[in-house]
Amino acid sequence: MCGIVGYIGPKKVVPVIIEGLRKLEYRGYDSAGIAVVNGTGKIEIRRAPGKLKNLEEVLRESPIEGTYGIGHTRWATHGRPTEENAHPHRDCTGQYVVVHNGIIENYLELKEKLQREGHKFVTETDTEIVAHLVEKYAKDLPFEEAVRKTLKDLRGIYSLVFLSAKDPQKLIAARIGPPSVIGLGDGEYFVASDIPALLEHTRKIFFLADGDIAVLSRDGVRVTDLDGKPVDRPAHQVTWDPIMAEKGGYKHFMQKEIFEQPRAVRDTMLGRISQDTGKVFLDEMAITETAFREFQNVRIVACGTSWHAGLAGKFMIERLARLPVEVDYGSEFRYRDPIIDSRTLTVCISQSGETADTLAAQREAKQKGSPSLAICNVKGSMITREAAGTILTHAGPEIGVASTKAFTAQLAALLLLASYLGQVREELAPDAARKLMLEFTRIPHKMETILQAEETGFFETLARQYFRQSDFLYLGRGIHYPIALEGALKLKEISYIHAEGYPSGEMKHGPNALIDENLPVVVLATRDESDPASMTLYEKSVSNIKEVKARDGIVISVVTSGDRLAREASDHIIELPAAPDLLSPLLEIIPLQLLAYYIAVRRGCDVDQPRNLAKSVTVE
């Protein structure tokens, strides 16, 4: 969850690290710090609680210079968010410095032992013990070996970067759990928690695997395992343009990313569909077509927004491939001894590919013999490396903590997967596949028409009416129910208004008690006139709208263009272009994202970095 940046090369290190940390602000943090080795070989540290601008002020008042160093933005786990607890941390001598993302589970045991040996601790963090362990072992061992021995003492998860005044011109990075990416430049080398920190300098990168130790020097990068055995980690080129990670004239990253969704969906389907036949191609698979045909069930594991995408994917796969699907939270999956085997396909969904709970679920599935398929936005991330196959979503970097374009790209990937399974299992007829894929290729343009309506100020006006409300309710049926959940999550994440998503059919089982003249209820009531099942659900949704109005609730209905019944019973109408039922979630989520965005802006909230949340949850 924290941000780490390390640099060694010819440039002045402070601007490189500060700018890199700024690119990682979306990950969430409550303090920041930097350690640099100056021209005399002395380590200088500057730290500050709060935002990165506070650290920059400290650096203006007390500047430091050098050509290699490490920086960190901390999310407090052990110890309060104070200057004292901010990273980097050092040992008793001040000769060894470390930054850390993760949790050291046995730190109290190690700390007590080190204190008995005479070490003095000055912080409340678990990280400080790491620097003291290196100091202890470096009395008899070279720096790199002292780090290696330290790592073997640790229980927990970590992404660590070390530097030492006693072994100059060197950084050491290590990983078990949270991501650590290495950047290869021209005579300069980088380590960071995520790719955006590196894009301004290089696009040639590789991720460390669990158990890797990387030594960065002016001569290059050398990778070994915990025992010192050399490891080969091939680099690849990141296709993201650095400009993609900038706001590009939008007020917030979230707003920009909402508007990037048509492109993200187009790029995710690009090269994977035959326009002539409707056939879907998933080429990034070690799973054979025969294996896909023989799976007897599917298990989807994910967290947060990705879980909502997975829930929508359940409807897609069951409808098109006639395979039973269960959707699990990654955080629950491995703790209940799931009943799966080689006949189960486990689909792991993660924007970053480094979500700790989803990774743990993937490993649980593998242990039980179930092949995993990753749906992910980051090539080379841990989930993609451990999967038997991957569908990369080509959403580009998503900086806003509240996921938008990654979600719609995941929906697109799940539809591709569902269609592919339906085709190889011969459950989706060729004519039906061709028609569905033709409609799918039209979705990005329809998304663009919805976004054009944003320019009318409709959502700003709606936000002005309801930004003071304390509660919202979101309702949907069938595949629209997961979108109701996601709409509610977007509102609560960025505006801090309590919001709940509910299946419309459950209204009589409790939620009706909440409805009064102060409760806005957002109802997803789109329809597909060519689909009898969709029309049945639409009629039932209109009945739900009337139920809410009978209790004086405020109804905001999301409907298909030309709707009459829902319009007559609602206070506000948001019209969408017509689309097949399985594709409508890609359109429905956009107005819910925009409503949440404008309400949050109206309330003065930090839209891109909501309180208490982080972009990548890399610790359990």
Side-chain angles (χ1 to χ4, degrees):
M1 294 166 72
C2 318
I4 291 174
V5 178
Y7 172 77
I8 186 165
K11 296 173 182 165
K12 289 185 176 181
V13 67
V14 173
V16 173
I17 289 178
I18 293 297
E19 190 55 36
L21 292 176
R22 184 171 288 110
K23 295 294 195 304
L24 299 179
E25 283 189 297
Y26 65 89
R27 294 173 66 87
Y29 69 103
D30 48 43
S31 60
I34 187 171
V36 169
V37 180
N38 65 22
T40 67
K42 180 183 177 183
I43 298 175
E44 294 194 70
I45 294 178
R46 304 288 185 270
R47 303 181 301 191
K51 293 297 186 182
L52 196 57
K53 64 182 180 181
N54 297 343
L55 176 61
E56 291 179 281
E57 182 60 33
V58 170
L59 287 166
R60 275 192 291 271
E61 294 175 358
S62 181
I64 52 177
E65 288 190 3
T67 56
Y68 70 105
I70 52 181
H72 188 271
T73 50
R74 175 181 186 251
W75 184 272
T77 53
H78 296 76
R80 297 159 295 158
T82 62
E83 187 275 335
E84 179 184 72
N85 288 328
H87 296 215
H89 290 300
R90 57 195 137 190
D91 69 311
C92 297
T93 69
Q95 299 296 304
Y96 302 97
V97 174
V98 63
V99 293
H100 170 218
N101 181 12
I103 295 174
I104 308 301
E105 294 173 357
N106 60 334
Y107 90 100
L108 280 175
E109 169 192 330
L110 293 169
K111 183 175 182 178
E112 289 169 1
K113 184 177 179 181
L114 287 163
Q115 285 174 324
R116 288 195 298 270
E117 295 171 2
H119 290 264
K120 305 296 183 185
F121 289 82
V122 296
T123 80
E124 303 168 301
T125 72
D126 56 337
T127 305
E128 191 185 0
I129 64 108
V130 179
H132 287 276
L133 283 171
V134 174
E135 175 198 357
K136 171 184 174 178
Y137 293 129
K139 291 175 181 177
D140 303 310
L141 296 170
F143 177 36
E144 187 177 338
E145 293 305 312
V147 168
R148 202 179 305 282
K149 193 163 184 180
T150 293
L151 297 176
K152 291 181 178 181
D153 282 352
L154 305 180
R155 286 202 316 269
I157 60 171
Y158 56 74
S159 173
L160 293 158
V161 184
F162 304 82
L163 63 79
S164 169
K166 289 191 173 182
D167 195 348
Q169 298 297 323
K170 182 183 290 184
L171 302 178
I172 300 177
R175 172 198 178 156
I176 288 182
S180 184
V181 58
I182 304 295
L184 309 176
D186 185 8
E188 58 183 0
Y189 303 94
F190 309 80
V191 58
S193 300
D194 205 353
I195 293 170
L198 311 181
L199 288 179
E200 186 177 330
H201 308 282
T202 181
R203 297 193 206 175
K204 191 175 182 181
I205 67 108
F206 66 88
F207 281 87
L208 295 184
D210 279 355
D212 281 356
I213 299 174
V215 179
L216 291 72
S217 69
R218 292 292 294 270
D219 297 324
V221 179
R222 175 170 47 87
V223 183
T224 65
D225 64 15
L226 280 171
D227 294 319
K229 182 181 177 181
V231 175
D232 182 32
R233 297 290 176 219
H236 64 268
Q237 290 289 126
V238 177
T239 57
W240 299 350
D241 190 308
I243 296 172
M244 292 175 71
E246 302 299 332
K247 290 182 185 175
Y250 291 95
K251 188 175 180 181
H252 298 94
F253 281 113
M254 182 182 178
Q255 185 186 30
K256 172 178 177 278
E257 288 154 6
I258 289 171
F259 276 80
E260 288 176 336
Q261 289 178 111
R263 179 204 55 76
V265 171
R266 278 195 188 97
D267 288 353
T268 297
M269 69 171 73
L270 191 65
R272 290 172 168 154
I273 300 171
S274 167
Q275 296 276 14
D276 294 332
T277 65
K279 188 172 181 180
V280 173
F281 303 96
L282 300 179
D283 298 328
E284 310 109 308
M285 300 291 161
I287 307 171
T288 65
E289 189 170 303
T290 300
F292 274 114
R293 193 176 295 117
E294 293 176 351
F295 286 126
Q296 294 186 7
N297 59 82
V298 176
R299 204 58 70 88
I300 297 176
V301 291
C303 300
T305 284
S306 296
W307 187 86
H308 296 155
L311 195 58
K314 170 184 170 74
F315 287 89
M316 296 173 182
I317 294 169
E318 290 189 342
R319 175 92 64 90
L320 299 178
R322 304 308 299 159
L323 266 173
V325 181
E326 287 188 43
V327 186
D328 276 274
Y329 286 107
S331 56
E332 296 292 330
F333 183 75
R334 62 177 165 145
Y335 293 115
R336 63 177 183 80
D337 194 17
I339 303 170
I340 56 174
D341 56 26
S342 60
R343 296 166 297 179
T344 302
L345 173 64
T346 300
V347 179
C348 304
I349 310 175
S350 168
Q351 189 281 139
S352 67
E354 303 287 350
T355 307
D357 288 319
T358 307
L359 264 170
Q362 182 184 40
R363 289 165 181 165
E364 177 76 12
K366 184 176 182 180
Q367 186 178 345
K368 292 179 178 292
S370 170
S372 67
L373 185 154
I375 294 177
C376 182
N377 194 38
V378 180
K379 183 179 180 180
S381 60
M382 185 66 84
I383 280 176
T384 66
R385 291 206 303 275
E386 297 197 5
T390 297
I391 303 175
L392 282 174
T393 56
H394 297 292
E398 187 176 67
I399 305 302
V401 167
S403 181
T404 52
K405 64 177 180 175
F407 175 71
T408 45
Q410 288 168 355
L411 291 177
L414 284 160
L415 185 76
L416 290 169
L417 174 61
S419 301
Y420 177 79
L421 285 168
Q423 290 168 8
V424 300
R425 290 170 55 81
E426 298 182 350
E427 295 287 353
L428 180 60
D431 285 347
R434 187 162 47 247
K435 182 179 178 182
L436 179 63
M437 290 301 106
L438 178 61
E439 289 292 338
F440 189 23
T441 60
R442 293 170 175 165
I443 287 295
H445 176 69
K446 293 179 179 181
M447 297 170 84
E448 287 167 346
T449 64
I450 298 168
L451 290 165
Q452 287 167 4
E454 186 266 355
E455 297 173 3
T456 65
F458 172 81
F459 293 99
E460 284 185 275
T461 301
L462 204 58
R464 195 176 300 119
Q465 284 183 259
Y466 299 115
F467 77 98
R468 291 191 178 91
Q469 308 302 124
S470 58
D471 302 278
F472 268 72
L473 187 62
Y474 288 70
L475 301 177
R477 287 178 178 267
I479 197 171
H480 315 286
Y481 158 54
I483 308 308
L485 292 177
E486 176 61 11
L489 177 62
K490 286 285 100 47
L491 186 67
K492 73 177 75 169
E493 277 183 311
I494 62 172
S495 75
Y496 318 140
I497 293 174
H498 171 254
E500 278 193 75
Y502 243 87
S504 303
E506 291 294 299
M507 286 293 289
K508 293 183 177 70
H509 298 275
N512 272 349
L514 299 173
I515 299 172
D516 61 18
E517 67 278 4
N518 297 312
L519 182 69
V521 181
V522 180
V523 183
L524 296 170
T526 56
R527 69 193 194 284
D528 177 0
E529 293 183 350
S530 67
D531 182 345
S534 172
M535 292 305 294
T536 298
L537 291 182
Y538 165 71
E539 291 165 2
K540 291 182 180 295
S541 294
V542 171
S543 296
N544 290 128
I545 291 170
K546 292 179 178 179
E547 274 187 89
V548 173
K549 287 310 299 175
R551 290 160 178 79
D552 298 323
I554 303 160
V555 176
I556 302 168
S557 292
V558 179
V559 301
T560 303
S561 180
D563 178 277
R564 181 177 57 81
L565 298 178
R567 175 186 295 275
E568 291 173 353
S570 304
D571 296 282
H572 306 279
I573 288 290
I574 300 170
E575 285 194 323
L576 305 181
D581 198 49
L582 290 181
L583 299 177
S584 58
L586 288 153
L587 305 180
E588 291 170 341
I589 190 56
I590 293 176
L592 305 191
Q593 293 167 345
L594 289 168
L595 180 62
Y597 171 77
Y598 280 109
I599 286 177
V601 169
R602 191 75 185 177
R603 288 167 67 90
C605 299
D606 189 341
V607 173
D608 288 332
Q609 297 176 47
R611 68 191 183 203
N612 304 330
L613 298 178
K615 183 64 180 173
S616 301
V617 183
T618 55
V619 295
E620 188 175 356

Short mmCIF file of all heavy atoms in Angstrom, two decimals, residues 175-216:
data_model
loop_
_atom_site.label_atom_id
_atom_site.label_comp_id
_atom_site.label_asym_id
_atom_site.label_seq_id
_atom_site.Cartn_x
_atom_site.Cartn_y
_atom_site.Cartn_z
N ARG A 175 11.83 -8.92 -1.94
CA ARG A 175 10.37 -9.01 -1.96
C ARG A 175 9.87 -10.38 -1.50
O ARG A 175 10.36 -11.40 -1.95
CB ARG A 175 9.85 -8.78 -3.38
CG ARG A 175 8.35 -9.06 -3.47
CD ARG A 175 7.86 -9.27 -4.87
NE ARG A 175 6.42 -9.56 -4.84
CZ ARG A 175 5.59 -9.36 -5.82
NH1 ARG A 175 6.01 -8.88 -6.96
NH2 ARG A 175 4.31 -9.66 -5.70
N ILE A 176 8.89 -10.35 -0.62
CA ILE A 176 7.97 -11.46 -0.39
C ILE A 176 6.61 -10.83 -0.13
O ILE A 176 6.36 -10.27 0.94
CB ILE A 176 8.38 -12.35 0.80
CG1 ILE A 176 9.62 -13.17 0.45
CG2 ILE A 176 7.23 -13.30 1.17
CD1 ILE A 176 10.07 -14.11 1.54
N GLY A 177 5.73 -10.85 -1.11
CA GLY A 177 4.39 -10.27 -0.95
C GLY A 177 4.17 -9.03 -1.78
O GLY A 177 3.89 -9.11 -2.97
N PRO A 178 4.30 -7.83 -1.17
CA PRO A 178 4.00 -6.59 -1.90
C PRO A 178 4.89 -6.41 -3.13
O PRO A 178 6.04 -6.86 -3.14
CB PRO A 178 4.27 -5.50 -0.86
CG PRO A 178 4.13 -6.19 0.45
CD PRO A 178 4.63 -7.58 0.23
N PRO A 179 4.39 -5.74 -4.16
CA PRO A 179 5.14 -5.66 -5.42
C PRO A 179 6.41 -4.83 -5.32
O PRO A 179 6.50 -3.87 -4.54
CB PRO A 179 4.13 -4.98 -6.37
CG PRO A 179 3.19 -4.26 -5.47
CD PRO A 179 3.09 -5.08 -4.24
N SER A 180 7.38 -5.23 -6.13
CA SER A 180 8.64 -4.48 -6.26
C SER A 180 9.05 -4.58 -7.71
O SER A 180 9.28 -5.67 -8.23
CB SER A 180 9.71 -5.08 -5.34
OG SER A 180 10.89 -4.31 -5.39
N VAL A 181 9.11 -3.43 -8.38
CA VAL A 181 9.40 -3.42 -9.81
C VAL A 181 10.75 -2.74 -10.03
O VAL A 181 11.06 -1.71 -9.42
CB VAL A 181 8.28 -2.71 -10.61
CG1 VAL A 181 8.05 -1.30 -10.14
CG2 VAL A 181 8.56 -2.74 -12.10
N ILE A 182 11.58 -3.31 -10.89
CA ILE A 182 12.90 -2.81 -11.20
C ILE A 182 12.86 -2.13 -12.57
O ILE A 182 12.34 -2.72 -13.53
CB ILE A 182 13.95 -3.94 -11.22
CG1 ILE A 182 13.95 -4.69 -9.89
CG2 ILE A 182 15.34 -3.37 -11.54
CD1 ILE A 182 14.38 -3.89 -8.69
N GLY A 183 13.41 -0.93 -12.66
CA GLY A 183 13.49 -0.20 -13.92
C GLY A 183 14.91 -0.13 -14.42
O GLY A 183 15.84 0.16 -13.65
N LEU A 184 15.10 -0.42 -15.71
CA LEU A 184 16.44 -0.44 -16.31
C LEU A 184 16.58 0.73 -17.27
O LEU A 184 15.90 0.79 -18.30
CB LEU A 184 16.65 -1.76 -17.07
CG LEU A 184 16.34 -3.05 -16.28
CD1 LEU A 184 16.51 -4.26 -17.18
CD2 LEU A 184 17.22 -3.16 -15.05
N GLY A 185 17.43 1.68 -16.92
CA GLY A 185 17.67 2.84 -17.76
C GLY A 185 19.03 2.78 -18.41
O GLY A 185 19.71 1.75 -18.41
N ASP A 186 19.48 3.90 -18.97
CA ASP A 186 20.78 4.01 -19.61
C ASP A 186 21.80 4.47 -18.58
O ASP A 186 21.95 5.67 -18.32
CB ASP A 186 20.70 5.00 -20.78
CG ASP A 186 22.00 5.08 -21.57
OD1 ASP A 186 22.91 4.25 -21.30
OD2 ASP A 186 22.13 5.96 -22.44
N GLY A 187 22.47 3.50 -17.93
CA GLY A 187 23.43 3.83 -16.89
C GLY A 187 22.77 4.28 -15.60
O GLY A 187 23.44 4.85 -14.72
N GLU A 188 21.49 4.01 -15.45
CA GLU A 188 20.76 4.34 -14.22
C GLU A 188 19.71 3.27 -13.97
O GLU A 188 19.18 2.67 -14.91
CB GLU A 188 20.11 5.73 -14.32
CG GLU A 188 19.15 5.88 -15.48
CD GLU A 188 18.59 7.29 -15.58
OE1 GLU A 188 18.94 8.14 -14.76
OE2 GLU A 188 17.77 7.52 -16.48
N TYR A 189 19.43 3.02 -12.68
CA TYR A 189 18.57 1.92 -12.30
C TYR A 189 17.62 2.35 -11.20
O TYR A 189 17.97 3.18 -10.35
CB TYR A 189 19.42 0.71 -11.91
CG TYR A 189 20.34 0.32 -13.04
CD1 TYR A 189 21.65 0.81 -13.10
CD2 TYR A 189 19.89 -0.48 -14.08
CE1 TYR A 189 22.48 0.50 -14.16
CE2 TYR A 189 20.71 -0.79 -15.15
CZ TYR A 189 22.00 -0.30 -15.19
OH TYR A 189 22.80 -0.59 -16.26
N PHE A 190 16.44 1.75 -11.21
CA PHE A 190 15.35 2.20 -10.34
C PHE A 190 14.70 0.99 -9.67
O PHE A 190 14.68 -0.11 -10.21
CB PHE A 190 14.27 2.91 -11.16
CG PHE A 190 14.76 4.01 -12.05
CD1 PHE A 190 15.33 3.71 -13.29
CD2 PHE A 190 14.68 5.34 -11.65
CE1 PHE A 190 15.79 4.73 -14.12
CE2 PHE A 190 15.13 6.35 -12.49
CZ PHE A 190 15.69 6.05 -13.72
N VAL A 191 14.12 1.22 -8.49
CA VAL A 191 13.24 0.26 -7.85
C VAL A 191 12.04 1.03 -7.33
O VAL A 191 12.18 2.16 -6.85
CB VAL A 191 13.95 -0.52 -6.72
CG1 VAL A 191 14.50 0.42 -5.65
CG2 VAL A 191 13.01 -1.54 -6.08
N ALA A 192 10.85 0.46 -7.45
CA ALA A 192 9.65 1.17 -7.02
C ALA A 192 8.55 0.17 -6.69
O ALA A 192 8.65 -1.02 -7.00
CB ALA A 192 9.16 2.12 -8.11
N SER A 193 7.50 0.69 -6.06
CA SER A 193 6.34 -0.14 -5.71
C SER A 193 5.41 -0.36 -6.90
O SER A 193 4.65 -1.32 -6.91
CB SER A 193 5.53 0.53 -4.59
OG SER A 193 6.31 0.69 -3.46
N ASP A 194 5.47 0.54 -7.88
CA ASP A 194 4.55 0.42 -9.00
C ASP A 194 5.14 1.13 -10.21
O ASP A 194 6.00 2.02 -10.09
CB ASP A 194 3.19 1.01 -8.64
CG ASP A 194 2.05 0.42 -9.45
OD1 ASP A 194 2.32 -0.36 -10.40
OD2 ASP A 194 0.88 0.73 -9.17
N ILE A 195 4.63 0.77 -11.37
CA ILE A 195 5.20 1.22 -12.64
C ILE A 195 5.15 2.73 -12.86
O ILE A 195 6.12 3.30 -13.38
CB ILE A 195 4.48 0.49 -13.80
CG1 ILE A 195 4.82 -1.00 -13.75
CG2 ILE A 195 4.86 1.07 -15.15
CD1 ILE A 195 4.00 -1.85 -14.70
N PRO A 196 4.07 3.46 -12.49
CA PRO A 196 4.03 4.89 -12.81
C PRO A 196 5.22 5.69 -12.28
O PRO A 196 5.59 6.71 -12.88
CB PRO A 196 2.71 5.34 -12.15
CG PRO A 196 1.84 4.14 -12.22
CD PRO A 196 2.77 2.99 -11.96
N ALA A 197 5.84 5.24 -11.20
CA ALA A 197 6.99 5.97 -10.66
C ALA A 197 8.18 5.94 -11.61
O ALA A 197 9.09 6.77 -11.50
CB ALA A 197 7.39 5.37 -9.31
N LEU A 198 8.21 4.99 -12.55
CA LEU A 198 9.36 4.80 -13.42
C LEU A 198 9.16 5.34 -14.83
O LEU A 198 10.14 5.52 -15.57
CB LEU A 198 9.69 3.30 -13.52
CG LEU A 198 9.78 2.51 -12.22
CD1 LEU A 198 10.13 1.06 -12.52
CD2 LEU A 198 10.81 3.12 -11.29
N LEU A 199 7.93 5.57 -15.24
CA LEU A 199 7.62 5.81 -16.64
C LEU A 199 8.32 7.03 -17.22
O LEU A 199 8.61 7.06 -18.42
CB LEU A 199 6.11 5.94 -16.84
CG LEU A 199 5.29 4.65 -16.70
CD1 LEU A 199 3.83 4.93 -16.89
CD2 LEU A 199 5.77 3.60 -17.69
N GLU A 200 8.59 8.02 -16.40
CA GLU A 200 9.26 9.22 -16.91
C GLU A 200 10.70 8.93 -17.31
O GLU A 200 11.28 9.65 -18.13
CB GLU A 200 9.24 10.32 -15.83
CG GLU A 200 9.77 11.66 -16.28
CD GLU A 200 9.66 12.71 -15.19
OE1 GLU A 200 8.73 12.62 -14.37
OE2 GLU A 200 10.51 13.61 -15.17
N HIS A 201 11.26 7.84 -16.78
CA HIS A 201 12.68 7.56 -16.99
C HIS A 201 12.94 6.33 -17.86
O HIS A 201 13.93 6.27 -18.58
CB HIS A 201 13.36 7.35 -15.64
CG HIS A 201 13.12 8.47 -14.67
ND1 HIS A 201 13.78 9.68 -14.75
CD2 HIS A 201 12.26 8.57 -13.62
CE1 HIS A 201 13.35 10.46 -13.77
NE2 HIS A 201 12.43 9.82 -13.09
N THR A 202 12.08 5.32 -17.76
CA THR A 202 12.29 4.09 -18.53
C THR A 202 10.99 3.32 -18.63
O THR A 202 10.12 3.43 -17.76
CB THR A 202 13.36 3.20 -17.87
OG1 THR A 202 13.54 2.03 -18.68
CG2 THR A 202 12.95 2.76 -16.47
N ARG A 203 10.87 2.55 -19.71
CA ARG A 203 9.74 1.63 -19.84
C ARG A 203 10.21 0.18 -19.82
O ARG A 203 9.41 -0.73 -20.01
CB ARG A 203 8.97 1.91 -21.13
CG ARG A 203 8.34 3.28 -21.16
CD ARG A 203 7.35 3.36 -22.30
NE ARG A 203 7.19 4.73 -22.75
CZ ARG A 203 6.47 5.07 -23.79
NH1 ARG A 203 5.84 4.16 -24.49
NH2 ARG A 203 6.37 6.33 -24.17
N LYS A 204 11.52 -0.03 -19.62
CA LYS A 204 12.07 -1.38 -19.57
C LYS A 204 12.09 -1.83 -18.11
O LYS A 204 12.87 -1.31 -17.30
CB LYS A 204 13.48 -1.39 -20.16
CG LYS A 204 14.05 -2.78 -20.39
CD LYS A 204 15.40 -2.69 -21.08
CE LYS A 204 15.95 -4.08 -21.35
NZ LYS A 204 17.29 -4.02 -22.01
N ILE A 205 11.25 -2.79 -17.77
CA ILE A 205 11.07 -3.14 -16.36
C ILE A 205 10.93 -4.65 -16.18
O ILE A 205 10.68 -5.39 -17.12
CB ILE A 205 9.83 -2.43 -15.77
CG1 ILE A 205 8.54 -2.96 -16.42
CG2 ILE A 205 9.88 -0.94 -15.95
CD1 ILE A 205 7.71 -3.83 -15.55
N PHE A 206 11.09 -5.08 -14.94
CA PHE A 206 10.67 -6.42 -14.55
C PHE A 206 10.27 -6.40 -13.08
O PHE A 206 10.75 -5.57 -12.31
CB PHE A 206 11.74 -7.48 -14.81
CG PHE A 206 13.00 -7.35 -13.98
CD1 PHE A 206 13.10 -7.94 -12.73
CD2 PHE A 206 14.09 -6.63 -14.47
CE1 PHE A 206 14.26 -7.82 -11.97
CE2 PHE A 206 15.25 -6.52 -13.72
CZ PHE A 206 15.34 -7.11 -12.46
N PHE A 207 9.37 -7.29 -12.71
CA PHE A 207 8.93 -7.42 -11.33
C PHE A 207 9.79 -8.46 -10.62
O PHE A 207 10.11 -9.51 -11.20
CB PHE A 207 7.47 -7.86 -11.25
CG PHE A 207 6.48 -6.77 -11.49
CD1 PHE A 207 6.07 -6.45 -12.78
CD2 PHE A 207 5.94 -6.05 -10.42
CE1 PHE A 207 5.15 -5.44 -13.00
CE2 PHE A 207 5.02 -5.05 -10.64
CZ PHE A 207 4.63 -4.74 -11.92
N LEU A 208 10.16 -8.19 -9.38
CA LEU A 208 10.76 -9.22 -8.55
C LEU A 208 9.70 -10.25 -8.18
O LEU A 208 8.54 -9.91 -7.96
CB LEU A 208 11.36 -8.62 -7.27
CG LEU A 208 12.53 -7.64 -7.43
CD1 LEU A 208 13.03 -7.23 -6.06
CD2 LEU A 208 13.66 -8.25 -8.25
N ALA A 209 10.11 -11.50 -8.10
CA ALA A 209 9.23 -12.56 -7.60
C ALA A 209 9.46 -12.73 -6.11
O ALA A 209 10.44 -12.23 -5.55
CB ALA A 209 9.52 -13.86 -8.34
N ASP A 210 8.55 -13.42 -5.46
CA ASP A 210 8.72 -13.70 -4.03
C ASP A 210 10.04 -14.44 -3.79
O ASP A 210 10.34 -15.43 -4.47
CB ASP A 210 7.57 -14.54 -3.51
CG ASP A 210 6.34 -13.70 -3.19
OD1 ASP A 210 6.44 -12.47 -3.29
OD2 ASP A 210 5.30 -14.28 -2.83
N GLY A 211 10.82 -13.96 -2.83
CA GLY A 211 12.10 -14.57 -2.51
C GLY A 211 13.26 -13.99 -3.28
O GLY A 211 14.42 -14.37 -3.04
N ASP A 212 12.99 -13.06 -4.21
CA ASP A 212 14.07 -12.43 -4.97
C ASP A 212 14.79 -11.36 -4.16
O ASP A 212 14.17 -10.63 -3.37
CB ASP A 212 13.53 -11.78 -6.25
CG ASP A 212 13.26 -12.77 -7.36
OD1 ASP A 212 13.56 -13.96 -7.17
OD2 ASP A 212 12.74 -12.35 -8.41
N ILE A 213 16.09 -11.23 -4.40
CA ILE A 213 16.89 -10.12 -3.89
C ILE A 213 17.60 -9.50 -5.09
O ILE A 213 18.28 -10.20 -5.84
CB ILE A 213 17.94 -10.59 -2.85
CG1 ILE A 213 17.24 -11.22 -1.65
CG2 ILE A 213 18.82 -9.42 -2.41
CD1 ILE A 213 18.19 -11.84 -0.65
N ALA A 214 17.45 -8.20 -5.28
CA ALA A 214 18.08 -7.49 -6.40
C ALA A 214 19.11 -6.51 -5.85
O ALA A 214 18.82 -5.75 -4.93
CB ALA A 214 17.03 -6.75 -7.23
N VAL A 215 20.30 -6.54 -6.43
CA VAL A 215 21.35 -5.58 -6.07
C VAL A 215 21.52 -4.62 -7.23
O VAL A 215 21.85 -5.02 -8.35
CB VAL A 215 22.68 -6.31 -5.78
CG1 VAL A 215 23.76 -5.29 -5.43
CG2 VAL A 215 22.51 -7.31 -4.65
N LEU A 216 21.25 -3.33 -6.97
CA LEU A 216 21.34 -2.30 -7.99
C LEU A 216 22.62 -1.51 -7.76
O LEU A 216 22.87 -1.02 -6.65
CB LEU A 216 20.15 -1.34 -7.93
CG LEU A 216 18.76 -1.85 -8.32
CD1 LEU A 216 18.18 -2.81 -7.29
CD2 LEU A 216 17.80 -0.67 -8.52
#
